[in-house]
């Protein structure tokens, strides 16, 4: 019990220190002391704390320091945690307007877009909680269906059970997908001012096209120090690992 209380106190103290550091970094930012703000924000990350707000603030700080590729990187990290946050989306859009590459994305099938939007309504923990609640409703509806004495009650509970089952399955799938996405690091931002994409994982490969710093890529596979990447318009090729920063 004493150990548990001690651990709780340590955790609470750690959270307080993080909040104090976060407030200090924000104060530096508001005073236009961007270098000091960056040092303090990075110290928080080094302590193992991450959040959409922290990444967003770091992105804003890099933007003020005119480091657009790094600002895009941290906006993307923030958006990964909160995909529906309008402030993050807006600032990311502003930063992307300042980079060289203007890539037209491939159209997304409306059902795929709907499924992604639905999955982004809640976080992984939110969907997990939702699945537990809906499962309880499912069991209750199933019990009431079995014990119902009238045809109308059975019919009502049957449809309630069916709807709850569909929502439960969807919640579990969304929770699993979100959890897997949060743990993945198969996206990246190009950090080299200019880099030529190759046809094979070798510097002697055929030149395919050129990318510039700040461009987002999807990493499809890895071979040694080379990554097979895909950009928004569907074009693929190979780039060295050190040309990009994963998130």
């Amino acid at each position: 019990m004493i150990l548990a209380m001690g651990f709780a106190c340590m955790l609470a103290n750690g959270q307080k220190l993080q909040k104090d550091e976060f407030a200090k970094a924000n104060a530096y930012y508001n005073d236009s002391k961007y270098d000091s703000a960056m040092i303090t924000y990075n110290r928080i990350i080094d302590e193992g704390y991450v959040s959409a707000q922290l990444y967003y603030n770091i992105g804003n700080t890099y933007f003020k320091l005119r480091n657009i590729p790094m600002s895009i990187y941290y906006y993307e990290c923030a958006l990964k945690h909160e995909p529906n946050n309008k402030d993050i989306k807006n600032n990311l859009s502003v930063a992307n307007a300042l980079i060289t590459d203007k890539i037209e994305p491939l159209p997304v099938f409306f059902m795929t877009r709907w499924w992604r939007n639905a999955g982004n309504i809640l976080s992984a923990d939110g969907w997990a909680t939702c699945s537990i609640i809906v499962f309880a409703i499912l069991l209750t509806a199933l019990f009431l269906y079995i014990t119902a004495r009238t045809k109308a009650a059975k019919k009502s509970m049957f449809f309630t059970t069916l709807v709850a089952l569909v929502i439960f399955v969807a919640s579990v799938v969304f929770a699993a997908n979100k959890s897997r996405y949060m743990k993945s690091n198969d996206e990246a931002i190009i950090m080299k001012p200019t880099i030529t994409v190759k046809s094979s994982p070798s510097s002697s490969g055929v030149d395919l096209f050129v990318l510039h710093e700040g461009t987002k890529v999807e990493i499809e596979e890895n071979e040694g120090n080379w990554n097979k990447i895909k950009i928004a318009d569907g074009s693929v090729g190979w780039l060295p690992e050190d040309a990009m920063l994963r998130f």
Side-chain angles (χ1 to χ4, degrees):
M1 183 65 177
I2 295 175
L3 288 174
M5 290 177 61
F7 179 76
C9 289
M10 289 174 62
L11 185 61
N13 288 335
Q15 291 173 340
K16 183 178 183 304
L17 287 173
Q18 288 168 353
K19 288 180 180 179
D20 291 343
E21 288 286 279
F22 191 63
K24 184 189 297 184
N26 291 342
Y28 282 137
Y29 179 89
N30 292 330
D31 290 338
S32 300
K33 298 177 180 178
Y34 303 122
D35 288 322
S36 297
M38 186 61 64
I39 292 172
T40 310
Y41 285 135
N42 284 329
R43 189 156 58 233
I44 298 172
I45 289 182
D46 290 341
E47 292 171 358
Y49 177 79
V50 296
S51 73
Q53 186 63 53
L54 175 59
Y55 285 141
Y56 175 67
N57 287 12
I58 294 176
N60 288 339
T61 306
Y62 271 117
F63 190 88
K64 291 292 187 180
L65 291 170
R66 301 180 184 276
N67 189 333
I68 304 303
M70 287 301 294
S71 71
I72 291 174
Y73 171 80
Y74 278 101
Y75 287 146
E76 288 285 1
C77 290
L79 201 61
K80 193 169 186 177
H81 283 74
E82 291 187 11
N84 292 324
N85 189 301
K86 292 182 179 179
D87 290 332
I88 299 172
K89 287 182 176 180
N90 289 338
N91 285 20
L92 177 59
S93 179
V94 171
N96 277 326
L98 298 175
I99 64 175
T100 302
D101 297 327
K102 303 294 187 291
I103 302 170
E104 189 68 27
L106 291 173
V108 179
F109 183 55
F110 79 96
M111 286 295 292
T112 302
R113 185 169 59 251
W114 176 87
W115 181 258
R116 289 176 181 173
N117 290 338
N120 286 335
I121 292 174
L122 297 174
S123 64
D125 290 340
W127 280 118
T129 301
C130 179
S131 66
I132 294 172
I133 295 172
V134 174
F135 185 67
I137 295 173
L138 172 63
L139 292 180
T140 302
L142 183 61
F143 173 78
L144 293 175
Y145 169 77
I146 294 172
T147 58
R149 297 183 178 181
T150 65
K151 186 176 182 180
K154 275 188 173 292
K155 185 177 181 180
S156 175
M157 287 302 102
F158 173 78
F159 284 109
T160 301
T161 302
L162 188 61
V163 171
L165 178 61
V166 171
I167 296 175
F168 170 71
V169 172
S171 298
V172 171
V173 172
F174 284 144
N177 287 345
K178 291 289 288 185
S179 178
R180 183 166 55 251
Y181 176 63
M182 292 301 297
K183 294 176 182 177
S184 69
N185 67 334
D186 54 3
E187 295 174 297
I189 302 298
I190 300 298
M191 290 294 159
K192 298 287 186 181
T194 303
I195 188 77
T196 301
V197 180
K198 299 290 186 175
S199 62
S200 60
S202 169
S203 57
S204 61
V206 175
D207 294 349
L208 296 180
F209 51 92
V210 174
L211 293 178
H212 302 84
E213 59 183 0
T215 300
K216 180 181 177 181
V217 300
E218 179 182 341
I219 299 172
E220 294 193 324
E221 60 180 278
N222 173 268
E223 187 172 324
N225 294 323
W226 289 78
N227 294 326
K228 185 178 182 180
I229 60 97
K230 180 169 72 173
I231 58 177
D233 66 3
S235 300
V236 298
W238 291 85
L239 283 176
E241 175 76 33
D242 61 8
M244 63 194 73
L245 189 58
R246 292 177 179 245
F247 65 91

